Amino acid sequence: MENIPKNNRFQNKVVLVTGATSGIGESTALAFAKEGAKMVISGRRAEEGERVKSAIENLGTEALFVHSDISDEQQVSDLVNKTITHFGQLNIAVNNAGIEGQIVPTTEQTAENYRHVFDINVLGMLMSMKYQIPALIDAGGGAIVNMASVAGLIGMAGGSVYFASKHAVLGLTKCAAAEVGNENIRINAVCPGLIDTAMADRFTGHNEEAKAQFVAGHPIARLGQTQEIADAVLFLSSDHASFITGQYLVADGGQTI
């Protein structure tokens, strides 16, 4: 892929990315850092978090890693408070943390899997916005981008719990956007298709044939790359998207057409 030059769109902005220790979250954090943002990254894996923090600092900007589980409301509150304490403000939040859980038929789903997936994908996002929005208001406005999925738009055998959670993410995004539009805060979502990540490997059962079937469903004839989703997030976070709120940007290689 062609490297796009840094243009400092986010110079001196403070950006929080959850689930930033790998995959889309890591690429998004690095993309913001390349454009001048001061970064707060969070996740449940400390070693990976420190690795991403070092990579951001090597790009010449400040970074803070906060070990955090977004399914715990107190940890979410602490994450935002640590952001404000360290940098003095929050301008942009990217709620990327999420899991796929068990991909099995509806008749084999369990209450335990439902709670695990919804606690992170839905409750975690709800609590994140609960504490991010007041911080953005204090900063005079800003943007939130929630990571949804094409799973929030379609259905698939075996995906009942995960897909339902991503449908819920879109509902949360629309309602929150309607509540805070007059506070100079925009809230949108990105819906990736199958992206070349460890989650994609797990989702397809580490089966190359199953992955190939997904690729065959993309008119663009390949998996997406994490940087391509990061680019979509940065667009929605930027002034170029100043009249866009409560929407979702589908980046799926044409899968849903």
Side-chain angles (χ1 to χ4, degrees), residues 1 23-24 27 191-198 200-201 211 214-215 218-230 251-255:
M1 291 175 55
I24 292 171
S27 288
C191 293
L194 195 65
I195 308 302
D196 192 9
T197 62
D201 290 335
K211 189 178 291 186
F214 270 96
V215 171
H218 293 117
I220 206 167
R222 62 173 174 82
L223 295 181
Q225 300 299 310
T226 57
Q227 182 60 50
E228 293 174 304
I229 306 307
D252 69 347
Q255 179 184 357

Side-chain angles (χ1 to χ4, degrees), residues 75-234:
Q75 291 190 45
V76 175
S77 174
D78 291 344
L79 170 59
V80 175
N81 286 336
K82 288 175 181 178
T83 299
I84 302 303
T85 298
H86 190 85
F87 286 117
Q89 62 184 17
L90 175 64
N91 305 110
I92 298 166
V94 181
N95 294 314
N96 170 74
I99 60 171
E100 75 278 9
Q102 296 176 339
I103 304 301
V104 296
T106 300
T107 53
E108 297 176 23
Q109 289 287 356
T110 64
E112 181 183 16
N113 183 55
Y114 173 88
R115 293 189 189 100
H116 186 45
V117 172
F118 268 70
D119 278 356
I120 294 174
N121 293 5
V122 184
L123 178 62
M125 192 164 289
L126 175 63
M127 292 299 102
S128 293
M129 290 195 292
K130 174 180 177 178
Y131 292 99
Q132 291 160 359
I133 287 170
L136 292 177
I137 292 173
D138 288 343
I144 295 175
V145 179
N146 295 325
M147 195 57 62
S149 167
V150 293
L153 306 172
I154 59 175
M156 186 192 81
S160 57
V161 170
Y162 174 69
F163 280 53
S165 75
K166 291 302 184 177
H167 276 72
V169 165
L170 294 180
L172 288 175
T173 299
K174 294 173 184 179
C175 292
E179 293 167 358
V180 299
N182 61 355
E183 297 284 359
N184 193 33
I185 296 172
R186 298 181 300 101
I187 304 179
N188 293 290
V190 175
C191 293
L194 195 65
I195 308 302
D196 192 9
T197 62
M199 180 183 281
D201 290 335
R202 295 191 303 269
F203 196 84
T204 55
H206 301 275
N207 184 309
E208 290 303 317
E209 183 178 342
K211 189 178 291 186
Q213 290 177 347
F214 270 96
V215 171
H218 293 117
I220 206 167
R222 62 173 174 82
L223 295 181
Q225 300 299 310
T226 57
Q227 182 60 50
E228 293 174 304
I229 306 307
D231 289 339
V233 172
L234 266 65

Side-chain angles (χ1 to χ4, degrees), residues 228-241:
E228 293 174 304
I229 306 307
D231 289 339
V233 172
L234 266 65
F235 164 69
L236 287 174
S237 303
S238 75
D239 290 341
H240 294 295

